[in-house]
Amino acid sequence: MNIPDLVIAHGTVVNSFGRQAAHVVVDDGRITQLIDATEPVPAAARTIDASGKLVIPGGVDGHCHVAQVTGRFRTLDDYRTTSTAALWGGTTTIIDFGIPRDAQESPLDAVLNKKRLAAESRCDVALHGSVVSWDETMPRQLEQLAREGVRSVKMYTTNRGSTMADGDTILKVMREMVRLDGLTYIHAEHDPIIADCTEQHAADGRIGIEHLHSTRPELAEETSVKETLAMAEYTGAPVYFVHQSTPGAVDLVAEARERGQEAYSETCPHYLTLDDTVYGSKFPEWYACCPPMRSAETVAALKERLAAGAIHTVSSDHSCYDLSQKRERTDDVRFMPHGLPGVETRMPVTFTAMAPNSTVEDFVEVFSAGPARINAVPGKGTIAAGFDADLVIFDPAEEREVDGGALHMGTDFSPFEGKTLNGWPAVVVSAGRVVVDDGGFHDPGPVGRFVARNGFAAHRDALSVRKSPSVRKSLSVPATVSA
């Protein structure tokens, strides 16, 4: 008789579509059975008692930047560091970007270089491509990316002179994504507005980090979203907007969906919990990111959109610079490295932000199931027989205070320093291996797999799992993030 590798017993298993008290049986890296908790616990090589705790699918972080180069700055992490931090934070799959470093590196080469580096990962990895400018080789390169299992391409509507793609490029790539059954990712900020606003601030001597939020207005984000949605409608391309920070941007996507467009909104934990008063704090450089933090009123309205289900995923937008890099040019935001470390804190910050008005099922949707489904990542985001054994056990009543120095992201700060949060993982299982428990981190070595993604429409059409409101229950512990 075969004895399975692992059983997680007596937990409350929560998927995006419902929950049940069950024993989860794991063997050879896959979930083989869910057994009703009233039945005896089957024998296994290892049994973990999850009584009184929740068991959710391992997180899928659809927006990470690993070993990223921005101008003369390079993030301080590598795949070993970031994947380790991801596992500490309950994320078992990360999706990174192959962004060309300069005009000499092609989109295909950027992805293949990242794929080689990802061999050091401790968790599973998928990749997005990125296009900056169109040329006659692009259809062939995008075809090759699709064959490699890279089914999405990111483009920036700002950052002229570096990563920005012009409108012609965006339109042509969208057409190719339709042909190749892919997904277009967009960083949406209207470059002419931002460039002019930044120049005006510089002329007035208001260009330091304390003024970041006023150099990149909400209007710039919403204008770019509107223009991009028009191009997506024209081409018929599915489109995914990264790090939306305003309710207006989310509403534009919701309205497009009502018209029948395949359009998706992502936000990040920092836009749900931090407001623009941080730029008047003692350490404003901790919060240098684009888009910047918004007003408290905007943050509250964004959280309302999340609770209403208008936001489809919450991703970290992890970028691991340290304070020495951030502090080199706090006098001029045009020359600072922008981006925040967050892959390890995505779970507790998001859970805490959602707890007052959402369910655990809703949290699982934006933390795991939604990112897996929208990005067509097979085997992820659901606890069911046949899916990968990526699991997180946690107690929603447990509180911890963020200590940036005790985190594992390879940097020396966290934008959530000192915040009291719920929803930290107690046990993390990745591909059937227990990698985090009360004994700490058990380094599995470079076992992370590269995950080839399915076609967008093919994956969507193959899925039949839907949310079932009849089995939804409220979060058991209200929790807030202190301002």
Side-chain angles (χ1 to χ4, degrees):
M1 178 180 178
N2 179 55
I3 301 297
D5 297 328
L6 176 68
V7 169
I8 297 175
H10 299 297
T12 299
V13 173
V14 185
N15 280 302
S16 62
F17 49 84
R19 63 177 69 189
Q20 66 183 111
H23 313 308
V24 183
V25 183
V26 171
D27 197 47
D28 196 25
R30 295 289 184 96
I31 299 166
T32 59
Q33 293 184 80
L34 263 65
I35 300 173
D36 190 276
T38 60
E39 297 294 323
V41 178
R46 180 175 180 180
T47 300
I48 297 175
D49 184 2
S51 297
K53 295 183 173 62
L54 305 181
V55 185
I56 67 170
V60 178
D61 193 338
H63 188 168
C64 286
H65 297 278
V66 183
Q68 173 179 275
V69 176
T70 304
R72 64 186 184 84
F73 293 101
R74 183 199 181 280
T75 58
L76 300 178
D77 60 341
D78 55 21
Y79 274 99
R80 175 175 182 169
T81 301
T82 297
S83 62
T84 297
L87 292 170
W88 270 107
T91 288
T92 51
T93 304
I94 59 174
I95 312 183
D96 186 21
F97 296 84
I99 300 174
R101 296 186 179 192
D102 51 41
Q104 282 67 54
E105 185 174 41
S106 71
L108 178 59
D109 286 342
V111 165
L112 295 178
N113 287 336
K114 277 296 186 78
K115 190 174 179 181
R116 283 191 287 270
L117 293 174
E120 291 299 312
S121 183
R122 272 58 182 163
C123 71
D124 288 351
V125 176
L127 287 169
H128 306 287
S130 182
V131 173
V132 176
S133 61
W134 182 267
D135 63 39
E136 70 279 0
T137 72
M138 210 53 60
R140 177 187 58 78
Q141 290 192 58
L142 295 175
E143 288 173 3
Q144 183 59 39
L145 287 178
R147 285 193 290 271
E148 294 282 341
V150 178
R151 307 300 292 253
S152 54
V153 168
K154 182 180 183 181
M155 290 174 287
Y156 294 77
T157 65
T158 190
N159 303 337
R160 65 179 66 176
S162 58
T163 57
M164 178 180 168
D166 63 25
D168 289 340
T169 295
I170 292 172
L171 194 73
K172 290 174 181 176
V173 170
M174 282 183 170
R175 288 189 188 277
E176 291 300 305
M177 287 294 98
V178 172
R179 181 174 70 86
L180 297 170
D181 195 15
L183 179 63
T184 301
Y185 261 54
I186 296 289
H187 173 133
E189 290 184 286
H190 192 272
D191 193 73
I193 292 176
I194 289 173
D196 184 75
C197 188
T198 302
E199 288 171 8
Q200 294 294 331
H201 277 73
D204 295 340
R206 297 180 296 118
I207 200 63
I209 181 58
E210 66 272 18
H211 300 291
L212 175 62
H213 56 299
S214 56
T215 66
R216 305 179 88 93
E218 294 184 19
L219 178 64
E221 183 174 344
E222 291 164 18
T223 300
S224 183
V225 170
K226 187 178 297 185
E227 289 185 355
T228 304
L229 282 168
M231 287 190 282
E233 183 175 13
Y234 175 67
T235 58
V239 61
Y240 177 109
F241 291 94
V242 299
H243 53 49
Q244 293 199 307
S245 67
T246 78
V250 173
D251 290 347
L252 287 166
V253 173
E255 291 162 7
R257 289 179 63 82
E258 289 176 2
R259 296 194 301 270
Q261 282 189 252
E262 288 279 7
Y264 300 91
S265 290
E266 169 199 281
T267 195
C268 304
H270 40 282
Y271 299 124
L272 298 169
T273 55
L274 302 172
D275 63 52
D276 60 14
T277 61
V278 297
Y279 299 113
S281 68
K282 184 178 180 181
F283 301 112
E285 67 273 14
W286 289 12
Y287 311 100
C289 61
C290 298
M293 309 311 169
R294 305 299 190 185
S295 70
E297 293 77 15
T298 293
V299 172
L302 192 69
K303 289 176 70 173
E304 289 174 0
R305 301 316 192 268
L306 179 62
I311 295 172
H312 304 97
T313 69
V314 180
S315 302
S316 67
D317 192 7
H318 175 79
S319 297
C320 191
Y321 301 104
D322 73 356
L323 290 176
S324 65
Q325 293 171 305
K326 294 281 189 182
R327 287 170 176 161
E328 280 193 33
R329 292 305 305 270
T330 56
D331 63 310
D332 195 326
V333 297
R334 294 172 296 181
F335 305 109
M336 285 186 72
H338 293 279
L340 305 176
V343 70
E344 187 172 353
T345 50
R346 182 175 71 109
M347 180 176 177
V349 178
T350 304
F351 185 85
T352 302
M354 294 183 71
N357 301 302
S358 302
T359 67
V360 184
E361 289 85 347
D362 294 328
F363 167 71
V364 169
E365 172 65 18
V366 299
F367 178 70
S368 184
R373 183 178 63 253
I374 295 165
N375 287 290
V377 185
K380 308 295 184 183
T382 300
I383 301 177
F387 280 74
D388 291 348
D390 298 335
L391 305 159
V392 179
I393 303 172
F394 75 105
D395 178 356
E398 182 184 357
E399 293 185 344
R400 299 185 204 171
E401 184 177 297
V402 178
D403 175 1
L407 297 174
H408 309 86
M409 293 182 284
T411 185
D412 53 357
F413 79 104
S414 167
F416 308 108
E417 182 75 35
K419 305 290 186 187
T420 299
L421 305 173
N422 297 82
W424 298 85
V427 176
V428 179
V429 178
S430 178
R433 304 177 185 89
V434 178
V435 291
V436 176
D437 60 15
D438 57 8
F441 182 67
H442 307 288
D443 188 350
V447 297
R449 300 163 295 187
F450 174 76
V451 181
R453 291 153 57 201
N454 295 328
F456 171 81
H459 190 80
R460 176 200 60 199
D461 295 344
L463 293 175
S464 60
V465 174
R466 296 291 183 266
K467 280 189 176 182
S468 176
S470 63
V471 295
R472 289 165 52 140
K473 300 179 182 179
S474 296
L475 287 172
S476 57
V477 179
T480 58
V481 174
S482 55

Coordinates of all heavy atoms in Angstrom, one line a residue, residues 247-292:
P247 N -9.2 54.7 -7.9 CA -10.5 54.1 -8.2 C -11.0 54.5 -9.6 O -11.7 53.7 -10.3 CB -11.5 54.7 -7.1 CG -10.8 56.0 -6.7 CD -9.3 55.7 -6.8
G248 N -10.6 55.6 -10.1 CA -11.0 56.0 -11.5 C -10.4 55.0 -12.5 O -11.1 54.7 -13.5
A249 N -9.2 54.6 -12.3 CA -8.6 53.7 -13.2 C -9.3 52.3 -13.2 O -9.5 51.7 -14.2 CB -7.1 53.5 -12.9
V250 N -9.6 51.9 -12.0 CA -10.3 50.6 -11.8 C -11.7 50.7 -12.4 O -12.2 49.8 -13.1 CB -10.4 50.3 -10.3 CG1 -11.3 49.0 -10.1 CG2 -9.0 50.0 -9.7
D251 N -12.4 51.8 -12.3 CA -13.7 52.0 -12.8 C -13.7 51.9 -14.4 O -14.6 51.4 -15.0 CB -14.3 53.3 -12.4 CG -14.7 53.3 -10.9 OD1 -14.7 52.2 -10.3 OD2 -14.9 54.4 -10.4
L252 N -12.6 52.5 -15.0 CA -12.5 52.4 -16.4 C -12.4 51.0 -16.9 O -13.0 50.6 -17.9 CB -11.3 53.2 -16.9 CG -11.4 54.8 -16.8 CD1 -10.0 55.4 -17.0 CD2 -12.4 55.3 -17.9
V253 N -11.7 50.2 -16.2 CA -11.6 48.8 -16.5 C -12.9 48.1 -16.3 O -13.3 47.2 -17.2 CB -10.5 48.1 -15.7 CG1 -10.5 46.6 -15.9 CG2 -9.1 48.7 -16.1
A254 N -13.6 48.4 -15.2 CA -14.9 47.7 -15.0 C -15.9 48.1 -16.1 O -16.7 47.2 -16.5 CB -15.4 48.2 -13.6
E255 N -15.9 49.3 -16.5 CA -16.8 49.8 -17.6 C -16.5 49.0 -18.9 O -17.4 48.6 -19.6 CB -16.7 51.3 -17.7 CG -17.3 52.1 -16.6 CD -16.8 53.5 -16.5 OE1 -16.1 53.9 -17.5 OE2 -17.1 54.2 -15.6
A256 N -15.2 48.8 -19.1 CA -14.8 48.1 -20.3 C -15.3 46.7 -20.3 O -15.7 46.1 -21.3 CB -13.3 48.2 -20.5
R257 N -15.2 46.1 -19.1 CA -15.6 44.7 -18.9 C -17.1 44.6 -19.2 O -17.6 43.6 -19.7 CB -15.2 44.2 -17.6 CG -13.7 43.9 -17.4 CD -13.4 43.4 -16.0 NE -14.0 42.1 -15.7 CZ -13.5 41.0 -16.1 NH1 -12.4 40.9 -16.8 NH2 -14.2 39.8 -15.8
E258 N -17.9 45.6 -18.7 CA -19.3 45.6 -19.0 C -19.6 45.7 -20.4 O -20.7 45.2 -20.9 CB -19.9 46.8 -18.2 CG -20.0 46.6 -16.7 CD -20.5 47.8 -16.0 OE1 -20.9 48.8 -16.7 OE2 -20.5 47.8 -14.8
R259 N -18.7 46.3 -21.2 CA -18.9 46.3 -22.7 C -18.5 45.0 -23.4 O -18.5 44.9 -24.6 CB -18.1 47.5 -23.3 CG -18.6 48.8 -22.8 CD -18.0 49.9 -23.7 NE -16.5 49.9 -23.7 CZ -15.8 50.6 -22.9 NH1 -16.3 51.4 -21.9 NH2 -14.5 50.6 -22.9
G260 N -17.9 44.1 -22.6 CA -17.5 42.8 -23.1 C -16.0 42.7 -23.4 O -15.6 41.6 -23.9
Q261 N -15.2 43.7 -23.0 CA -13.8 43.5 -23.1 C -13.2 42.6 -22.1 O -13.6 42.5 -20.9 CB -13.1 44.9 -23.0 CG -13.2 45.8 -24.3 CD -12.3 47.0 -24.2 OE1 -12.8 48.1 -24.0 NE2 -11.0 46.8 -24.3
E262 N -12.1 41.9 -22.5 CA -11.3 41.2 -21.5 C -10.2 42.1 -20.9 O -9.2 42.3 -21.5 CB -10.6 40.0 -22.2 CG -11.5 38.9 -22.6 CD -11.9 37.9 -21.4 OE1 -11.4 38.3 -20.3 OE2 -12.5 36.9 -21.6
A263 N -10.5 42.7 -19.8 CA -9.7 43.7 -19.2 C -9.6 43.4 -17.7 O -10.6 43.1 -17.1 CB -10.2 45.1 -19.4
Y264 N -8.4 43.6 -17.1 CA -8.2 43.2 -15.7 C -7.4 44.3 -14.9 O -6.6 45.0 -15.5 CB -7.4 41.9 -15.6 CG -8.1 40.8 -16.3 CD1 -7.9 40.5 -17.6 CD2 -9.1 40.0 -15.6 CE1 -8.6 39.5 -18.3 CE2 -9.8 39.0 -16.2 CZ -9.6 38.7 -17.6 OH -10.3 37.7 -18.2
S265 N -7.8 44.4 -13.7 CA -7.1 45.4 -12.8 C -6.3 44.7 -11.7 O -6.8 43.8 -11.0 CB -8.2 46.3 -12.1 OG -8.8 47.2 -12.9
E266 N -5.1 45.1 -11.6 CA -4.2 44.7 -10.5 C -3.9 45.9 -9.6 O -3.8 47.0 -10.1 CB -2.9 44.2 -11.1 CG -1.8 44.0 -10.0 CD -0.4 43.9 -10.7 OE1 -0.1 42.8 -11.2 OE2 0.3 44.9 -10.6
T267 N -3.8 45.7 -8.3 CA -3.3 46.7 -7.4 C -2.2 46.0 -6.5 O -2.0 44.9 -6.7 CB -4.4 47.4 -6.6 OG1 -3.8 48.6 -6.0 CG2 -4.9 46.6 -5.5
C268 N -1.6 46.9 -5.7 CA -0.5 46.4 -4.8 C -0.9 46.7 -3.4 O -1.6 47.6 -3.1 CB 0.8 47.0 -5.2 SG 1.2 46.8 -6.9
P269 N -0.3 45.9 -2.4 CA -0.6 46.1 -1.0 C -0.3 47.6 -0.6 O -1.1 48.1 0.3 CB 0.4 45.2 -0.3 CG 0.6 44.0 -1.3 CD 0.6 44.7 -2.6
H270 N 0.7 48.2 -1.1 CA 1.0 49.6 -0.6 C 0.0 50.6 -1.0 O -0.2 51.6 -0.3 CB 2.4 50.0 -1.1 CG 2.8 49.7 -2.4 ND1 3.3 48.4 -2.8 CD2 2.9 50.4 -3.6 CE1 3.6 48.4 -4.1 NE2 3.4 49.6 -4.6
Y271 N -0.7 50.4 -2.1 CA -1.8 51.3 -2.5 C -3.0 51.1 -1.7 O -3.9 52.0 -1.7 CB -2.1 51.2 -4.0 CG -0.9 51.5 -4.9 CD1 -0.4 50.5 -5.8 CD2 -0.2 52.7 -4.8 CE1 0.7 50.8 -6.6 CE2 0.9 53.0 -5.6 CZ 1.4 52.0 -6.5 OH 2.5 52.3 -7.2
L272 N -3.1 50.0 -1.0 CA -4.3 49.7 -0.2 C -4.1 50.2 1.2 O -5.1 50.2 2.0 CB -4.6 48.2 -0.2 CG -5.0 47.6 -1.5 CD1 -5.0 46.1 -1.4 CD2 -6.3 48.1 -2.0
T273 N -2.9 50.5 1.6 CA -2.6 50.7 3.1 C -1.8 51.9 3.4 O -1.8 52.3 4.5 CB -1.8 49.5 3.6 OG1 -0.7 49.3 2.8 CG2 -2.7 48.2 3.6
L274 N -1.2 52.5 2.4 CA -0.3 53.7 2.6 C -0.9 54.9 1.8 O -1.3 54.7 0.7 CB 1.1 53.5 2.2 CG 1.8 52.3 3.0 CD1 3.2 52.0 2.3 CD2 1.9 52.5 4.4
D275 N -0.8 56.1 2.4 CA -1.3 57.3 1.6 C -0.2 58.3 1.5 O 0.9 58.1 2.0 CB -2.6 57.9 2.2 CG -2.3 58.4 3.6 OD1 -1.4 59.2 3.8 OD2 -3.1 58.1 4.5
D276 N -0.5 59.4 0.8 CA 0.6 60.3 0.4 C 1.2 61.1 1.5 O 2.2 61.8 1.3 CB 0.2 61.2 -0.8 CG -1.0 62.1 -0.4 OD1 -1.4 62.2 0.8 OD2 -1.6 62.6 -1.4
T277 N 0.6 60.9 2.7 CA 1.3 61.6 3.9 C 2.7 61.0 4.2 O 3.5 61.6 4.9 CB 0.4 61.5 5.1 OG1 0.2 60.1 5.5 CG2 -0.9 62.2 4.9
V278 N 2.9 59.8 3.6 CA 4.3 59.2 3.9 C 5.4 60.0 3.3 O 6.5 60.0 3.8 CB 4.3 57.8 3.3 CG1 3.3 56.8 4.0 CG2 4.2 57.7 1.8
Y279 N 5.1 60.9 2.3 CA 6.1 61.7 1.7 C 6.5 62.9 2.6 O 7.5 63.6 2.3 CB 5.7 62.1 0.3 CG 5.5 61.0 -0.6 CD1 4.3 60.6 -1.1 CD2 6.6 60.1 -0.9 CE1 4.1 59.5 -1.9 CE2 6.4 59.0 -1.7 CZ 5.2 58.7 -2.2 OH 5.0 57.6 -3.0
G280 N 5.7 63.1 3.6 CA 6.1 64.1 4.6 C 6.6 63.5 5.9 O 6.8 64.2 6.9
S281 N 6.9 62.2 5.9 CA 7.4 61.5 7.0 C 8.9 61.6 7.2 O 9.6 62.2 6.3 CB 7.0 60.0 6.9 OG 7.8 59.4 5.9
K282 N 9.4 61.0 8.2 CA 10.9 61.1 8.5 C 11.7 60.4 7.4 O 12.8 60.9 7.1 CB 11.2 60.5 9.8 CG 12.6 60.6 10.3 CD 12.8 60.0 11.7 CE 14.3 60.1 12.1 NZ 14.5 59.5 13.5
F283 N 11.1 59.4 6.8 CA 11.9 58.6 5.8 C 11.1 58.5 4.5 O 10.6 57.4 4.1 CB 12.2 57.2 6.3 CG 13.0 57.2 7.6 CD1 12.5 56.7 8.8 CD2 14.3 57.6 7.6 CE1 13.2 56.7 9.9 CE2 15.1 57.6 8.7 CZ 14.5 57.2 9.9
P284 N 10.9 59.6 3.8 CA 10.0 59.5 2.6 C 10.6 58.6 1.5 O 9.9 58.1 0.6 CB 10.0 61.0 2.1 CG 11.2 61.6 2.7 CD 11.4 60.9 4.0
E285 N 12.0 58.4 1.5 CA 12.6 57.6 0.5 C 12.1 56.1 0.6 O 12.3 55.3 -0.4 CB 14.1 57.6 0.6 CG 14.7 57.1 1.9 CD 14.8 58.1 3.0 OE1 14.1 59.1 3.0 OE2 15.5 57.8 4.0
W286 N 11.5 55.7 1.7 CA 11.0 54.3 1.9 C 9.9 54.1 0.9 O 9.5 52.9 0.7 CB 10.5 54.1 3.3 CG 11.6 54.0 4.3 CD1 12.9 54.3 4.2 CD2 11.4 53.5 5.7 NE1 13.5 54.1 5.4 CE2 12.6 53.6 6.3 CE3 10.2 53.1 6.4 CZ2 12.8 53.2 7.7 CZ3 10.4 52.8 7.7 CH2 11.7 52.8 8.3
Y287 N 9.3 55.1 0.3 CA 8.0 55.0 -0.4 C 8.2 55.5 -1.9 O 7.2 55.9 -2.5 CB 7.0 55.8 0.3 CG 6.9 55.5 1.8 CD1 7.5 56.4 2.7 CD2 6.3 54.3 2.3 CE1 7.5 56.1 4.1 CE2 6.3 54.0 3.6 CZ 6.9 54.9 4.5 OH 6.9 54.6 5.8
A288 N 9.4 55.4 -2.4 CA 9.6 55.9 -3.8 C 9.2 54.8 -4.7 O 9.9 53.8 -4.9 CB 11.1 56.2 -4.0
C289 N 8.1 55.0 -5.4 CA 7.5 54.0 -6.3 C 6.7 54.8 -7.3 O 6.2 55.9 -7.0 CB 6.8 52.9 -5.7 SG 5.3 53.4 -4.7
C290 N 6.4 54.2 -8.5 CA 5.6 54.8 -9.5 C 4.5 53.8 -10.0 O 4.9 52.7 -10.4 CB 6.4 55.2 -10.7 SG 7.6 56.5 -10.3
P291 N 3.2 54.2 -9.9 CA 2.7 55.4 -9.4 C 3.0 55.6 -7.9 O 3.3 54.6 -7.2 CB 1.2 55.3 -9.6 CG 1.0 54.2 -10.6 CD 2.2 53.2 -10.4
P292 N 2.9 56.8 -7.4 CA 3.2 57.1 -6.0 C 2.0 56.8 -5.1 O 0.9 56.4 -5.7 CB 3.5 58.6 -6.0 CG 2.6 59.1 -7.1 CD 2.6 58.1 -8.2

